[in-house]
Coordinates of all heavy atoms in Angstrom, one line a residue:
M9 N 0.8 -1.2 0.0 CA 0.0 0.0 0.0 C 0.9 1.2 0.0 O 1.8 1.3 0.8 CB -0.9 0.0 1.3 CG -2.1 0.7 1.1 SD -3.3 0.8 2.5 CE -3.2 -0.6 3.4
S10 N 0.6 2.2 -0.9 CA 1.4 3.4 -1.0 C 1.2 4.2 0.3 O 0.2 4.2 0.9 CB 1.1 4.2 -2.2 OG -0.1 4.8 -2.1
S11 N 2.2 5.1 0.5 CA 2.1 5.9 1.8 C 1.0 7.0 1.6 O 0.3 7.3 2.6 CB 3.4 6.6 2.0 OG 3.8 7.5 0.9
G12 N 0.7 7.5 0.4 CA -0.4 8.4 0.2 C -1.7 7.8 0.4 O -2.6 8.4 1.0
F13 N -1.9 6.6 -0.1 CA -3.2 5.9 0.1 C -3.4 5.5 1.6 O -4.4 5.6 2.1 CB -3.3 4.6 -0.7 CG -4.5 3.8 -0.6 CD1 -5.7 4.3 -1.1 CD2 -4.6 2.7 0.2 CE1 -6.9 3.6 -0.9 CE2 -5.8 2.0 0.4 CZ -7.0 2.5 -0.2
R14 N -2.3 5.1 2.2 CA -2.4 4.7 3.7 C -2.7 5.9 4.5 O -3.5 5.8 5.4 CB -1.0 4.2 4.1 CG -1.0 3.6 5.5 CD 0.2 3.0 6.0 NE 0.4 1.8 5.1 CZ 1.5 1.4 4.6 NH1 2.6 2.2 4.7 NH2 1.7 0.4 3.8
A15 N -2.2 7.1 4.1 CA -2.4 8.3 4.8 C -3.9 8.7 4.7 O -4.6 9.0 5.7 CB -1.6 9.5 4.3
F16 N -4.5 8.5 3.5 CA -5.9 8.8 3.3 C -6.7 7.8 4.0 O -7.7 8.1 4.6 CB -6.2 8.7 1.8 CG -7.7 8.7 1.5 CD1 -8.5 9.8 1.7 CD2 -8.3 7.6 0.9 CE1 -9.8 9.8 1.4 CE2 -9.6 7.6 0.6 CZ -10.4 8.7 0.9
W17 N -6.4 6.5 3.9 CA -7.1 5.4 4.6 C -7.2 5.7 6.1 O -8.3 5.4 6.7 CB -6.5 4.1 4.3 CG -7.2 2.9 4.9 CD1 -7.0 2.2 6.0 CD2 -8.3 2.3 4.2 NE1 -7.8 1.2 6.2 CE2 -8.7 1.2 5.1 CE3 -9.1 2.5 3.1 CZ2 -9.8 0.4 4.8 CZ3 -10.1 1.7 2.8 CH2 -10.5 0.6 3.7
N18 N -6.2 6.1 6.7 CA -6.2 6.3 8.1 C -6.4 7.7 8.6 O -6.4 8.0 9.8 CB -4.8 5.9 8.7 CG -4.6 4.4 8.5 OD1 -5.5 3.6 8.8 ND2 -3.4 4.0 8.2
S19 N -6.8 8.7 7.7 CA -7.0 10.0 8.1 C -8.4 10.2 8.8 O -9.2 9.3 8.7 CB -7.0 10.9 6.8 OG -8.2 10.8 6.1
P20 N -8.6 11.3 9.5 CA -9.8 11.5 10.3 C -11.0 11.7 9.3 O -12.1 11.7 9.8 CB -9.5 12.9 11.0 CG -8.1 13.1 10.9 CD -7.6 12.4 9.8
V21 N -10.8 11.9 8.0 CA -12.0 12.0 7.1 C -11.9 10.8 6.0 O -12.5 10.9 5.0 CB -12.0 13.3 6.4 CG1 -12.3 14.4 7.4 CG2 -10.7 13.7 5.7
G22 N -11.1 9.8 6.3 CA -10.9 8.7 5.4 C -12.1 7.7 5.4 O -13.1 7.9 6.1
P23 N -12.0 6.6 4.6 CA -13.1 5.7 4.5 C -13.4 4.9 5.7 O -14.4 4.1 5.7 CB -12.6 4.8 3.3 CG -11.3 5.2 2.9 CD -10.9 6.4 3.7
K24 N -12.7 5.0 6.7 CA -13.0 4.3 8.0 C -14.0 5.1 8.9 O -14.3 4.7 9.9 CB -11.8 4.1 8.8 CG -10.8 3.0 8.2 CD -9.6 2.8 9.1 CE -8.7 1.8 8.6 NZ -7.5 1.7 9.6
T25 N -14.4 6.3 8.4 CA -15.2 7.2 9.2 C -16.5 7.6 8.5 O -16.7 7.5 7.3 CB -14.4 8.6 9.4 OG1 -14.2 9.2 8.2 CG2 -13.0 8.3 10.0
T26 N -17.3 8.2 9.3 CA -18.6 8.7 8.8 C -18.4 10.0 8.1 O -19.2 10.4 7.2 CB -19.6 9.0 9.9 OG1 -19.1 9.9 10.9 CG2 -20.0 7.7 10.6
H27 N -17.2 10.6 8.2 CA -16.9 11.8 7.5 C -16.7 11.5 6.0 O -16.8 12.4 5.2 CB -15.6 12.5 8.0 CG -15.7 13.2 9.3 ND1 -16.2 14.5 9.3 CD2 -15.6 12.9 10.6 CE1 -16.3 15.0 10.6 NE2 -15.9 13.9 11.3
F28 N -16.5 10.3 5.7 CA -16.4 9.8 4.3 C -17.7 9.3 3.8 O -18.1 9.6 2.7 CB -15.2 8.7 4.2 CG -15.1 8.2 2.8 CD1 -14.4 8.9 1.9 CD2 -15.6 7.0 2.4 CE1 -14.2 8.4 0.6 CE2 -15.5 6.5 1.2 CZ -14.8 7.2 0.3
W29 N -18.3 8.4 4.5 CA -19.5 7.7 4.1 C -20.7 8.6 4.1 O -21.7 8.3 3.3 CB -19.7 6.4 4.9 CG -18.6 5.4 4.5 CD1 -17.6 5.1 5.4 CD2 -18.4 4.8 3.3 NE1 -16.7 4.2 4.7 CE2 -17.2 4.0 3.4 CE3 -19.1 4.8 2.1 CZ2 -16.7 3.2 2.4 CZ3 -18.6 4.0 1.0 CH2 -17.4 3.3 1.2
G30 N -20.7 9.6 5.0 CA -21.9 10.5 5.0 C -22.0 11.2 3.6 O -23.1 11.2 3.0
P31 N -20.9 11.9 3.1 CA -21.1 12.5 1.8 C -21.3 11.5 0.7 O -22.1 11.8 -0.3 CB -19.6 13.1 1.6 CG -19.1 13.3 3.0 CD -19.7 12.2 3.8
I32 N -20.8 10.3 0.8 CA -21.1 9.3 -0.3 C -22.6 9.0 -0.3 O -23.2 9.0 -1.4 CB -20.3 8.0 -0.1 CG1 -18.8 8.3 -0.1 CG2 -20.7 6.9 -1.0 CD1 -18.3 8.8 -1.4
S33 N -23.2 8.8 0.8 CA -24.7 8.6 0.8 C -25.5 9.8 0.5 O -26.5 9.7 -0.1 CB -25.1 8.0 2.2 OG -24.9 8.9 3.2
N34 N -25.0 11.0 0.9 CA -25.7 12.2 0.6 C -25.6 12.6 -0.9 O -26.5 13.4 -1.3 CB -25.2 13.4 1.4 CG -25.8 13.5 2.7 OD1 -27.0 13.4 2.8 ND2 -25.0 13.5 3.8
S35 N -24.7 12.0 -1.6 CA -24.7 12.3 -3.0 C -25.9 11.8 -3.8 O -26.2 12.2 -4.8 CB -23.4 11.8 -3.6 OG -23.3 10.4 -3.5
S36 N -26.6 10.8 -3.1 CA -27.8 10.3 -3.8 C -28.9 11.4 -3.8 O -29.7 11.4 -4.8 CB -28.3 9.1 -3.0 OG -28.7 9.4 -1.7
L37 N -28.9 12.3 -2.9 CA -29.9 13.4 -3.0 C -29.6 14.3 -4.2 O -30.6 14.7 -4.9 CB -29.8 14.3 -1.7 CG -30.2 13.6 -0.4 CD1 -29.9 14.6 0.8 CD2 -31.7 13.3 -0.4
F38 N -28.4 14.6 -4.4 CA -28.0 15.4 -5.6 C -28.4 14.6 -6.9 O -29.0 15.2 -7.8 CB -26.5 15.7 -5.6 CG -26.0 16.3 -6.9 CD1 -26.4 17.6 -7.2 CD2 -25.2 15.6 -7.7 CE1 -25.9 18.2 -8.4 CE2 -24.8 16.1 -8.9 CZ -25.1 17.4 -9.2
I39 N -28.0 13.3 -7.0 CA -28.3 12.5 -8.1 C -29.8 12.5 -8.4 O -30.2 12.7 -9.6 CB -27.6 11.1 -8.0 CG1 -26.1 11.2 -8.0 CG2 -28.1 10.2 -9.1 CD1 -25.4 10.0 -7.6
S40 N -30.6 12.2 -7.4 CA -32.0 12.2 -7.6 C -32.6 13.5 -8.0 O -33.5 13.6 -8.9 CB -32.7 11.6 -6.4 OG -32.6 12.5 -5.3
G41 N -32.0 14.6 -7.5 CA -32.5 15.9 -7.9 C -32.2 16.2 -9.4 O -33.0 16.8 -10.1
V42 N -31.0 15.8 -9.8 CA -30.6 16.0 -11.2 C -31.6 15.2 -12.1 O -32.1 15.7 -13.1 CB -29.1 15.6 -11.5 CG1 -28.9 15.5 -13.0 CG2 -28.2 16.6 -10.8
I43 N -31.9 14.0 -11.7 CA -32.8 13.1 -12.5 C -34.2 13.8 -12.5 O -34.8 13.8 -13.6 CB -32.8 11.7 -11.9 CG1 -31.5 11.0 -12.2 CG2 -34.0 10.9 -12.5 CD1 -31.4 9.7 -11.4
D44 N -34.6 14.4 -11.4 CA -35.9 15.0 -11.3 C -36.0 16.2 -12.2 O -37.2 16.7 -12.5 CB -36.3 15.3 -9.9 CG -36.7 14.2 -9.1 OD1 -37.0 13.1 -9.7 OD2 -36.8 14.3 -7.8
T45 N -34.9 16.8 -12.6 CA -35.0 18.0 -13.5 C -35.6 17.7 -14.9 O -36.0 18.5 -15.6 CB -33.7 18.7 -13.7 OG1 -32.8 17.7 -14.4 CG2 -33.0 19.2 -12.4
Q46 N -35.6 16.4 -15.2 CA -36.2 16.0 -16.4 C -37.7 15.7 -16.4 O -38.4 15.5 -17.4 CB -35.6 14.6 -16.9 CG -34.1 14.7 -17.1 CD -33.6 15.9 -18.0 OE1 -34.1 16.0 -19.1 NE2 -32.7 16.7 -17.5
K47 N -38.3 15.8 -15.2 CA -39.7 15.6 -15.0 C -40.5 16.9 -15.2 O -39.9 18.0 -14.9 CB -40.0 15.0 -13.6 CG -39.4 13.6 -13.5 CD -39.7 13.0 -12.1 CE -39.1 11.6 -12.0 NZ -39.3 11.1 -10.7
P48 N -41.8 16.8 -15.5 CA -42.5 18.0 -15.7 C -42.7 18.8 -14.3 O -42.8 18.2 -13.3 CB -43.9 17.5 -16.2 CG -43.9 16.1 -16.2 CD -42.6 15.6 -15.8
P49 N -42.7 20.1 -14.4 CA -42.8 20.9 -13.2 C -44.0 20.8 -12.4 O -44.0 21.0 -11.2 CB -42.6 22.4 -13.7 CG -43.0 22.3 -15.1 CD -42.7 21.0 -15.6
E50 N -45.1 20.3 -13.0 CA -46.3 20.1 -12.2 C -46.2 18.9 -11.2 O -47.0 18.8 -10.2 CB -47.6 19.9 -13.1 CG -47.5 18.7 -14.0 CD -46.9 19.0 -15.4 OE1 -46.3 20.1 -15.6 OE2 -47.1 18.2 -16.2
L51 N -45.2 18.1 -11.3 CA -44.9 17.0 -10.4 C -44.1 17.4 -9.2 O -43.8 16.6 -8.3 CB -44.3 15.8 -11.1 CG -45.1 15.2 -12.2 CD1 -44.4 14.0 -12.9 CD2 -46.4 14.7 -11.7
I52 N -43.5 18.6 -9.2 CA -42.6 19.1 -8.2 C -43.5 19.5 -6.9 O -44.4 20.2 -7.1 CB -41.8 20.3 -8.6 CG1 -40.9 19.8 -9.8 CG2 -41.0 20.8 -7.5 CD1 -40.2 21.0 -10.5
S53 N -43.0 19.0 -5.8 CA -43.6 19.4 -4.6 C -42.9 20.6 -4.0 O -41.7 20.6 -3.7 CB -43.6 18.3 -3.5 OG -43.9 18.8 -2.2
G54 N -43.6 21.8 -4.0 CA -42.9 23.0 -3.5 C -42.5 22.9 -2.0 O -41.5 23.4 -1.6
N55 N -43.4 22.3 -1.2 CA -43.1 22.1 0.2 C -41.8 21.2 0.4 O -40.9 21.6 1.2 CB -44.2 21.5 1.0 CG -45.4 22.4 1.1 OD1 -45.3 23.6 1.0 ND2 -46.6 21.8 1.3
M56 N -41.8 20.1 -0.3 CA -40.6 19.2 -0.1 C -39.3 19.9 -0.7 O -38.3 19.7 0.0 CB -40.9 17.9 -0.8 CG -39.7 16.9 -0.7 SD -39.2 16.6 1.0 CE -40.3 15.2 1.4
T57 N -39.4 20.5 -1.8 CA -38.3 21.2 -2.4 C -37.7 22.3 -1.5 O -36.6 22.4 -1.2 CB -38.6 21.6 -3.8 OG1 -39.1 20.6 -4.6 CG2 -37.3 22.3 -4.4
G58 N -38.7 23.1 -0.9 CA -38.3 24.1 0.0 C -37.6 23.5 1.3 O -36.7 24.1 1.8
A59 N -38.2 22.5 1.8 CA -37.6 21.8 3.0 C -36.2 21.3 2.6 O -35.3 21.4 3.5 CB -38.5 20.6 3.4
L60 N -36.0 20.7 1.5 CA -34.7 20.2 1.0 C -33.6 21.4 0.9 O -32.5 21.3 1.3 CB -34.7 19.5 -0.3 CG -35.3 18.0 -0.1 CD1 -35.6 17.5 -1.5 CD2 -34.3 17.1 0.6
C61 N -34.1 22.6 0.5 CA -33.3 23.7 0.4 C -32.8 24.2 1.8 O -31.7 24.5 2.0 CB -34.0 24.9 -0.3 SG -34.2 24.7 -2.1
V62 N -33.8 24.3 2.7 CA -33.5 24.7 4.1 C -32.5 23.7 4.7 O -31.5 24.0 5.3 CB -34.7 24.9 4.9 CG1 -34.4 25.1 6.4 CG2 -35.5 26.0 4.4
A63 N -32.8 22.4 4.6 CA -31.9 21.3 5.2 C -30.6 21.4 4.6 O -29.6 21.3 5.3 CB -32.6 20.0 4.9
S64 N -30.4 21.6 3.3 CA -29.1 21.6 2.7 C -28.3 22.8 3.2 O -27.1 22.7 3.5 CB -29.2 21.7 1.2 OG -29.5 20.4 0.7
V65 N -28.9 24.0 3.4 CA -28.2 25.2 3.9 C -27.7 24.9 5.4 O -26.6 25.2 5.7 CB -29.1 26.4 3.9 CG1 -28.5 27.5 4.7 CG2 -29.3 26.9 2.4
L66 N -28.6 24.3 6.2 CA -28.2 24.0 7.5 C -27.1 22.9 7.6 O -26.2 23.0 8.4 CB -29.4 23.5 8.3 CG -30.6 24.5 8.5 CD1 -31.8 23.9 9.2 CD2 -30.1 25.7 9.4
L67 N -27.2 21.9 6.7 CA -26.2 20.9 6.7 C -24.9 21.4 6.1 O -23.8 20.9 6.5 CB -26.7 19.7 6.0 CG -27.8 19.0 6.9 CD1 -28.5 17.9 6.0 CD2 -27.2 18.3 8.1
M68 N -24.9 22.4 5.3 CA -23.7 23.0 4.8 C -23.0 23.7 6.0 O -21.8 23.6 6.1 CB -23.9 24.0 3.7 CG -24.1 23.4 2.3 SD -24.1 24.6 1.0 CE -25.6 25.5 1.3
R69 N -23.7 24.4 6.8 CA -23.1 25.0 7.9 C -22.5 23.9 8.9 O -21.4 24.2 9.4 CB -24.1 25.9 8.7 CG -23.5 26.6 9.8 CD -24.5 27.4 10.6 NE -23.9 28.2 11.7 CZ -23.4 27.7 12.8 NH1 -23.4 26.4 13.1 NH2 -22.8 28.5 13.7
F70 N -23.3 22.9 9.1 CA -22.7 21.8 10.0 C -21.4 21.3 9.4 O -20.5 21.1 10.1 CB -23.8 20.7 10.1 CG -23.2 19.5 10.7 CD1 -23.0 19.3 12.1 CD2 -22.8 18.4 9.9 CE1 -22.4 18.2 12.7 CE2 -22.2 17.3 10.5 CZ -22.0 17.2 11.8
A71 N -21.4 21.0 8.1 CA -20.2 20.5 7.5 C -19.0 21.4 7.6 O -17.9 21.0 7.7 CB -20.4 20.1 6.0
W72 N -19.3 22.7 7.6 CA -18.2 23.7 7.8 C -17.7 23.8 9.2 O -16.6 24.0 9.5 CB -18.7 25.1 7.3 CG -17.6 26.1 7.3 CD1 -17.5 27.1 8.1 CD2 -16.6 26.1 6.3 NE1 -16.3 27.8 7.8 CE2 -15.8 27.3 6.7 CE3 -16.2 25.4 5.2 CZ2 -14.6 27.6 6.0 CZ3 -15.1 25.8 4.5 CH2 -14.3 26.9 4.9
M73 N -18.7 23.6 10.2 CA -18.3 23.9 11.6 C -17.8 22.7 12.3 O -17.1 22.8 13.3 CB -19.6 24.4 12.4 CG -20.1 25.7 11.9 SD -18.9 27.0 11.8 CE -18.8 27.3 13.6
V74 N -18.1 21.4 11.8 CA -17.6 20.2 12.4 C -16.1 20.1 12.3 O -15.5 20.6 11.4 CB -18.4 18.9 11.8 CG1 -17.9 18.7 10.4 CG2 -18.2 17.8 12.7
R75 N -15.5 19.5 13.3 CA -14.1 19.3 13.3 C -13.8 17.8 13.3 O -14.4 17.0 14.0 CB -13.4 19.9 14.5 CG -13.5 21.4 14.6 CD -12.7 22.0 13.5 NE -12.8 23.5 13.6 CZ -13.2 24.2 12.7 NH1 -13.6 23.7 11.6 NH2 -13.3 25.5 12.8
P76 N -13.0 17.3 12.4 CA -12.3 18.0 11.3 C -13.4 18.5 10.3 O -14.4 17.8 10.0 CB -11.4 17.0 10.7 CG -11.9 15.7 11.0 CD -12.7 15.9 12.3
R77 N -13.1 19.6 9.7 CA -14.0 20.2 8.7 C -14.2 19.2 7.5 O -13.3 18.6 7.1 CB -13.4 21.5 8.2 CG -14.3 22.4 7.4 CD -13.8 23.7 7.2 NE -14.1 24.5 8.4 CZ -13.5 25.6 8.7 NH1 -12.6 26.1 8.0 NH2 -13.8 26.3 9.8
N78 N -15.5 19.0 7.1 CA -15.8 18.1 6.1 C -16.1 18.7 4.8 O -17.3 19.0 4.5 CB -17.0 17.2 6.6 CG -17.1 15.9 5.8 OD1 -16.7 15.8 4.7 ND2 -17.7 14.9 6.5
H79 N -15.1 18.9 4.0 CA -15.3 19.6 2.7 C -16.1 18.7 1.7 O -16.8 19.3 0.9 CB -13.9 19.9 2.1 CG -13.2 20.9 2.9 ND1 -12.1 20.6 3.7 CD2 -13.4 22.2 3.1 CE1 -11.6 21.7 4.3 NE2 -12.4 22.7 4.0
M80 N -16.0 17.4 1.8 CA -16.7 16.6 0.9 C -18.2 16.7 1.2 O -19.0 16.8 0.3 CB -16.3 15.1 1.1 CG -16.0 14.4 -0.2 SD -15.1 12.9 0.0 CE -16.2 11.8 0.8
L81 N -18.6 16.7 2.4 CA -20.0 16.9 2.8 C -20.5 18.2 2.4 O -21.6 18.4 1.9 CB -20.2 16.6 4.3 CG -21.6 16.6 4.8 CD1 -22.4 15.5 4.2 CD2 -21.6 16.4 6.4
L82 N -19.7 19.2 2.6 CA -20.0 20.6 2.2 C -20.3 20.7 0.7 O -21.3 21.3 0.3 CB -18.9 21.6 2.6 CG -19.1 23.0 2.2 CD1 -20.3 23.6 3.0 CD2 -17.9 23.8 2.5
A83 N -19.5 20.0 -0.1 CA -19.6 20.1 -1.5 C -20.9 19.3 -1.9 O -21.7 19.8 -2.8 CB -18.4 19.4 -2.2
C84 N -21.2 18.2 -1.3 CA -22.4 17.4 -1.6 C -23.7 18.3 -1.3 O -24.6 18.3 -2.1 CB -22.5 16.1 -0.8 SG -21.4 14.9 -1.4
H85 N -23.7 18.9 -0.1 CA -24.9 19.7 0.2 C -24.9 21.0 -0.7 O -26.1 21.5 -1.0 CB -24.9 20.1 1.7 CG -25.3 18.9 2.5 ND1 -26.5 18.3 2.4 CD2 -24.7 18.2 3.4 CE1 -26.6 17.3 3.2 NE2 -25.5 17.2 3.8
A86 N -23.8 21.6 -1.1 CA -23.8 22.7 -2.0 C -24.4 22.3 -3.3 O -25.2 23.1 -3.9 CB -22.5 23.3 -2.1
A87 N -24.0 21.2 -3.8 CA -24.5 20.7 -5.1 C -26.0 20.4 -5.0 O -26.8 20.8 -5.9 CB -23.8 19.4 -5.5
N88 N -26.4 19.8 -3.9 CA -27.9 19.5 -3.7 C -28.6 20.8 -3.6 O -29.7 21.0 -4.1 CB -28.1 18.7 -2.5 CG -29.5 18.3 -2.4 OD1 -30.1 17.8 -3.3 ND2 -30.1 18.4 -1.2
E89 N -28.1 21.8 -2.8 CA -28.8 23.1 -2.7 C -29.0 23.7 -4.1 O -30.0 24.3 -4.4 CB -28.0 24.1 -1.8 CG -28.5 25.4 -1.7 CD -29.8 25.4 -0.8 OE1 -30.1 24.4 -0.1 OE2 -30.5 26.4 -0.9
T90 N -28.0 23.7 -5.0 CA -28.1 24.2 -6.3 C -29.2 23.6 -7.1 O -30.0 24.3 -7.7 CB -26.7 24.0 -7.1 OG1 -25.7 24.7 -6.3 CG2 -26.7 24.6 -8.4
V91 N -29.2 22.2 -7.1 CA -30.2 21.6 -7.9 C -31.6 21.8 -7.3 O -32.6 21.9 -8.0 CB -29.9 20.1 -8.1 CG1 -30.2 19.2 -6.9 CG2 -30.6 19.5 -9.3
Q92 N -31.7 21.9 -6.0 CA -33.0 22.1 -5.4 C -33.5 23.5 -5.6 O -34.7 23.7 -5.8 CB -33.0 21.8 -3.8 CG -32.7 20.3 -3.5 CD -33.7 19.3 -4.2 OE1 -34.9 19.6 -4.4 NE2 -33.2 18.2 -4.6
L93 N -32.6 24.5 -5.6 CA -33.1 25.8 -6.0 C -33.6 25.9 -7.4 O -34.5 26.7 -7.7 CB -31.9 26.8 -5.6 CG -31.6 27.2 -4.2 CD1 -30.4 28.0 -4.1 CD2 -32.8 27.8 -3.6
Y94 N -32.9 25.2 -8.3 CA -33.4 25.1 -9.7 C -34.7 24.5 -9.7 O -35.6 25.1 -10.4 CB -32.4 24.3 -10.5 CG -32.9 24.1 -11.9 CD1 -33.0 25.2 -12.8 CD2 -33.2 22.8 -12.3 CE1 -33.5 24.9 -14.1 CE2 -33.7 22.6 -13.6 CZ -33.8 23.6 -14.5 OH -34.3 23.4 -15.7
Q95 N -34.9 23.4 -9.0 CA -36.2 22.8 -9.0 C -37.3 23.8 -8.4 O -38.4 23.8 -8.9 CB -36.2 21.5 -8.2 CG -35.5 20.4 -8.8 CD -36.2 19.9 -10.0 OE1 -36.2 20.5 -11.1 NE2 -36.9 18.8 -9.9
L96 N -37.0 24.5 -7.3 CA -37.9 25.4 -6.7 C -38.2 26.5 -7.7 O -39.4 26.9 -7.8 CB -37.3 26.0 -5.4 CG -38.2 26.8 -4.5 CD1 -39.4 25.9 -4.0 CD2 -37.4 27.3 -3.3
S97 N -37.3 27.0 -8.5 CA -37.5 28.0 -9.5 C -38.5 27.5 -10.6 O -39.4 28.2 -11.0 CB -36.3 28.5 -10.1 OG -35.7 27.6 -11.0
R98 N -38.3 26.2 -11.0 CA -39.2 25.6 -12.0 C -40.6 25.5 -11.4 O -41.6 25.8 -12.1 CB -38.7 24.2 -12.3 CG -37.5 24.1 -13.1 CD -37.0 22.7 -13.5 NE -38.0 22.1 -14.3 CZ -38.4 20.8 -14.2 NH1 -37.9 20.0 -13.3 NH2 -39.3 20.3 -15.0
W99 N -40.7 25.1 -10.1 CA -42.0 25.0 -9.5 C -42.7 26.4 -9.4 O -43.9 26.6 -9.7 CB -41.9 24.4 -8.1 CG -43.1 24.4 -7.3 CD1 -44.1 23.5 -7.3 CD2 -43.5 25.4 -6.3 NE1 -45.1 23.8 -6.4 CE2 -44.8 25.0 -5.8 CE3 -42.9 26.5 -5.8 CZ2 -45.4 25.7 -4.8 CZ3 -43.6 27.3 -4.9 CH2 -44.9 26.8 -4.4
A100 N -41.9 27.4 -8.9 CA -42.4 28.8 -8.8 C -42.8 29.3 -10.1 O -43.9 30.0 -10.2 CB -41.4 29.6 -8.1
N101 N -42.1 29.1 -11.1 CA -42.4 29.6 -12.5 C -43.7 28.9 -13.0 O -44.6 29.6 -13.6 CB -41.3 29.3 -13.5 CG -41.4 30.0 -14.8 OD1 -41.9 31.1 -14.8 ND2 -41.1 29.3 -15.9
Y102 N -43.8 27.6 -12.8 CA -45.0 26.9 -13.2 C -46.3 27.4 -12.6 O -47.3 27.5 -13.2 CB -44.8 25.4 -13.0 CG -46.1 24.6 -13.3 CD1 -46.4 24.3 -14.7 CD2 -47.0 24.2 -12.4 CE1 -47.5 23.6 -15.0 CE2 -48.2 23.5 -12.7 CZ -48.4 23.2 -14.0 OH -49.5 22.5 -14.3
H103 N -46.2 27.8 -11.3 CA -47.4 28.2 -10.5 C -47.5 29.7 -10.6 O -48.4 30.3 -9.9 CB -47.2 27.7 -9.1 CG -47.4 26.3 -8.9 ND1 -48.7 25.7 -9.0 CD2 -46.6 25.3 -8.7 CE1 -48.6 24.3 -8.9 NE2 -47.3 24.1 -8.7
G104 N -46.7 30.4 -11.4 CA -46.9 31.8 -11.7 C -46.3 32.8 -10.7 O -46.6 33.9 -10.7
Y105 N -45.5 32.3 -9.8 CA -44.8 33.1 -8.8 C -43.7 33.9 -9.4 O -43.3 35.0 -8.9 CB -44.3 32.3 -7.6 CG -45.4 31.7 -6.8 CD1 -45.5 30.3 -6.8 CD2 -46.3 32.4 -6.1 CE1 -46.5 29.6 -6.1 CE2 -47.3 31.8 -5.4 CZ -47.4 30.4 -5.4 OH -48.4 29.8 -4.7
L106 N -43.2 33.5 -10.6 CA -42.0 34.2 -11.2 C -42.5 34.9 -12.5 O -41.6 35.3 -13.3 CB -40.9 33.3 -11.5 CG -40.3 32.7 -10.2 CD1 -39.1 31.7 -10.6 CD2 -39.7 33.6 -9.3
G107 N -43.7 34.9 -12.8 CA -44.2 35.5 -14.1 C -45.6 34.9 -14.4 O -46.4 34.7 -13.5
Q108 N -45.8 34.7 -15.7 CA -47.0 34.2 -16.1 C -47.2 32.7 -15.8 O -46.2 31.9 -16.0 CB -47.2 34.4 -17.7 CG -47.2 35.8 -18.1 CD -48.5 36.5 -17.7 OE1 -48.8 36.6 -16.5 NE2 -49.2 36.9 -18.7
K109 N -48.4 32.3 -15.3 CA -48.7 30.9 -15.0 C -48.8 30.2 -16.4 O -49.5 30.7 -17.3 CB -49.9 30.8 -14.2 CG -50.2 29.4 -13.8 CD -51.3 29.2 -12.8 CE -51.5 27.8 -12.5 NZ -52.4 27.6 -11.4
K110 N -48.3 29.0 -16.4 CA -48.4 28.2 -17.6 C -49.8 27.5 -17.6 O -50.2 27.0 -16.6 CB -47.3 27.0 -17.7 CG -45.9 27.5 -17.5 CD -45.4 28.1 -18.8 CE -44.0 28.5 -18.7 NZ -43.5 29.3 -19.6
E111 N -50.4 27.7 -18.7 CA -51.8 27.1 -18.9 C -51.6 25.6 -19.2 O -50.7 25.2 -20.0 CB -52.6 27.7 -20.0 CG -52.9 29.2 -19.7 CD -53.8 29.3 -18.5 OE1 -54.7 28.5 -18.3 OE2 -53.7 30.3 -17.8
E112 N -52.4 24.7 -18.6 CA -52.3 23.3 -18.9 C -52.7 23.0 -20.3 O -53.7 23.6 -20.8 CB -53.1 22.5 -17.9 CG -52.5 22.5 -16.5 CD -53.1 21.5 -15.6 OE1 -53.5 20.4 -16.0 OE2 -53.2 21.8 -14.4
G113 N -52.0 22.2 -21.0 CA -52.3 21.9 -22.4 C -51.7 22.8 -23.4 O -51.8 22.7 -24.6
S114 N -50.9 23.8 -22.9 CA -50.2 24.8 -23.8 C -48.8 24.3 -24.0 O -48.2 23.8 -23.2 CB -50.2 26.1 -23.2 OG -51.4 26.6 -22.9

């Protein structure tokens, strides 16, 4: 085993810790959000998307404040925040909060 890999393996944010596996599992939120961008906006839940936006912001702060600082988790939640804000804008636009409401069948 190389010394660089061994250092990563045994580090406080390496694969033996939740600092590693937390971001890996949280990446599924981002992946599902990206997949959902292909769905029609009428299927978006404004309440759930808003809750995911708030949760991602709070968890970004947690990832920044925890020691050792978890940059991987911060990046996962920042990516999720981006995709959820996009989804929220699609929802708001569809329901007329950002301009003209889309007529069904148009």
